[in-house]
Amino acid sequence: MTAHRDLLPPEAIDQLPFTPAEYDARLAACRKAMREREIDYLVLNSPENIYYLSGFITRGYYVFQALVVTHSNEPILVVRRYEQVNVERLSYYRNSAIWQDTDVPAEVLARTLSDLGAAGKTVGVDANSVFFTVSAYETLRAALPEAKFINGSGVIGGRAIKSSQEIAYIRRAAEARNAGFKAAQEAARPGRTENDVAAAFHHGAISAGSEYMAGPPYVVSGPRTALPHGTWAGRRIEKGDLVQVEGSGNWRRYSASLMRTWSMGKPSDSIRRAADASEAALDAAIAAIKPGATNGDVDTACRGAVARAGLSHAFVHRTGYSVGVGICPGWGEGAIMDLKDGDSRVLKPGMVFHIVPVLFPDPNASVGVSALVLVTETGAEIISDYSRELECG
């Protein structure tokens, strides 16, 4: 392990994205929320939550990992032996419980909790995380039969409000994202392929400083634009096609996402109508954003603009979602906060949303324009907007 560590360049060692004071404040807020929910021990499995509290990051999160938070001890990372050097070099907290490839990882977590005195106590688990499996939960319950397990998801709700440093990272990610969109737009021409557009986006964004994205860009053309979350598939772009790209830049694991649709030549009347409606809905949503407004208020404003265009049937999803820490497979923080019908949660300064009023006007097309929006003290600010031009090529 020492030889492995020696291979790391000095500038890559001990580079935490936030100050000790910010990590201490985040832990204090977490413990406060634990007390309010009467949680004695909190087990976090989501890589976003682990990164937010500790700075620990690895692309190896596809195997079991956890962060155990108590009211008095320093948090403990439960990680694979192969990842131990990342705890030592990339995490604010250096305490770790290590599992070997021959171990059952959840059993190591159970022993860690037992050693901390969790028997007979209340343990909050990351029940809404896709990284906390049913088998891991069953293993914990079997190993700690006297403990009371409850859903601890949402304890890290403070992620919704970004600090000035987090906002700076999002702005930096948006600069790289815009470079990717510029390159993708230039590549979106009849005769080129969706792969060309995707390659251009990656090259542009990464060359401008983006780290690996929290998800691949969605790149579709022609009738494939009707495929939600479609990725490039080698289709050759033809004159008259729509080309749609949704993608994100990333800086220090903070994402900045955007969607644009381009027409290869003059669009049809129905596509122009849908594009105008999407843009009007976007502007209406942004105008509704201010501290004290609710998520539902923003959604209502967005849907109202679509309805006035006679396209309510074409708007089939939420208005937007929180954006911040982004780790594959997605750049959104919808589990933290999203903009949807009837949601009474209140907007506060420092929240950041991707507003995406994409419309599906017919079975073979979708049209959408989006914006990344910061809630300010007085209203809203678009973070690094990009041209909304529809016709090109």
Side-chain angles (χ1 to χ4, degrees), residues 42 79-80 88 111 170-171 178 204 251 274 289 295 376:
L42 179 66
V79 298
R80 184 185 180 200
E88 297 169 356
R111 287 196 295 272
I170 293 171
R171 292 188 192 280
N178 282 5
W251 183 255
I289 291 178
N295 293 347
T376 68

Side-chain angles (χ1 to χ4, degrees), residues 16-30 44 46-57 65 67 69 77 90-93 154-163 166 169 252-254 323-327 333 336:
L16 287 166
F18 300 102
T19 65
E22 183 143 9
Y23 284 114
D24 291 343
R26 290 176 180 182
L27 179 59
C30 175
L44 299 172
S46 159
E48 294 89 351
N49 283 336
I50 292 173
Y51 176 78
Y52 180 80
L53 275 188
S54 71
F56 174 78
I57 187 68
Q65 62 179 18
L67 182 70
V69 183
L77 283 154
L90 301 178
S91 175
Y92 182 56
Y93 303 111
V155 169
I156 315 298
R159 279 175 51 193
I161 299 175
K162 274 64 182 179
S163 67
E166 290 177 291
Y169 289 159
R252 291 297 184 100
R253 300 321 317 150
Y254 281 79
V323 171
V325 179
I327 298 174
E333 293 181 327
I336 301 294

Side-chain angles (χ1 to χ4, degrees), residues 32-241:
K32 179 176 182 291
M34 289 169 62
R35 288 193 296 272
E36 291 171 350
R37 296 176 60 172
E38 299 181 339
I39 294 173
D40 299 308
Y41 300 84
L42 179 66
V43 178
L44 299 172
N45 297 91
S46 159
E48 294 89 351
N49 283 336
I50 292 173
Y51 176 78
Y52 180 80
L53 275 188
S54 71
F56 174 78
I57 187 68
T58 174
R59 275 289 285 115
Y61 59 82
Y62 48 80
V63 298
F64 187 89
Q65 62 179 18
L67 182 70
V68 179
V69 183
T70 72
H71 288 285
S72 55
N73 301 93
E74 182 174 286
I76 299 174
L77 283 154
V78 181
V79 298
R80 184 185 180 200
R81 175 68 179 86
Y82 188 73
E83 303 290 346
Q84 186 173 6
V85 69
N86 288 326
V87 177
E88 297 169 356
R89 297 296 185 175
L90 301 178
S91 175
Y92 182 56
Y93 303 111
R94 305 302 172 89
N95 288 346
S96 59
I98 301 301
W99 59 268
Q100 305 286 348
D101 288 347
T102 52
D103 291 328
V104 176
E107 291 179 352
V108 176
L109 171 60
R111 287 196 295 272
T112 302
L113 287 167
S114 180
D115 291 345
L116 290 169
K121 302 293 186 178
T122 299
V123 179
V125 295
D126 219 349
N128 292 346
S129 172
V130 298
F131 296 93
F132 185 60
T133 65
V134 173
S135 63
Y137 179 57
E138 290 178 341
T139 298
L140 278 182
R141 290 192 61 183
L144 294 168
E146 297 178 1
K148 177 184 178 182
F149 290 93
I150 67 171
N151 187 349
S153 297
V155 169
I156 315 298
R159 279 175 51 193
I161 299 175
K162 274 64 182 179
S163 67
S164 59
Q165 186 63 72
E166 290 177 291
I167 293 169
Y169 289 159
I170 293 171
R171 292 188 192 280
R172 181 67 182 83
E175 292 175 5
R177 174 208 69 195
N178 282 5
F181 268 86
K182 183 176 186 297
Q185 186 173 9
E186 291 173 352
R189 294 292 184 270
R192 308 292 296 278
T193 69
E194 293 172 350
N195 293 47
D196 294 327
V197 176
F201 178 88
H202 278 103
H203 185 269
I206 294 171
S207 296
S210 178
E211 300 170 1
Y212 72 89
M213 293 82 168
Y218 303 122
V219 179
V220 286
S221 65
R224 295 189 73 250
T225 60
L227 300 176
H229 297 139
T231 56
W232 61 95
R235 182 184 180 277
R236 192 167 299 280
I237 299 166
E238 300 177 1
K239 184 174 177 58
D241 276 349

Side-chain angles (χ1 to χ4, degrees), residues 266-277:
K266 185 176 180 179
S268 67
D269 291 344
S270 65
I271 292 300
R272 171 58 72 180
R273 177 186 171 210
D276 290 345

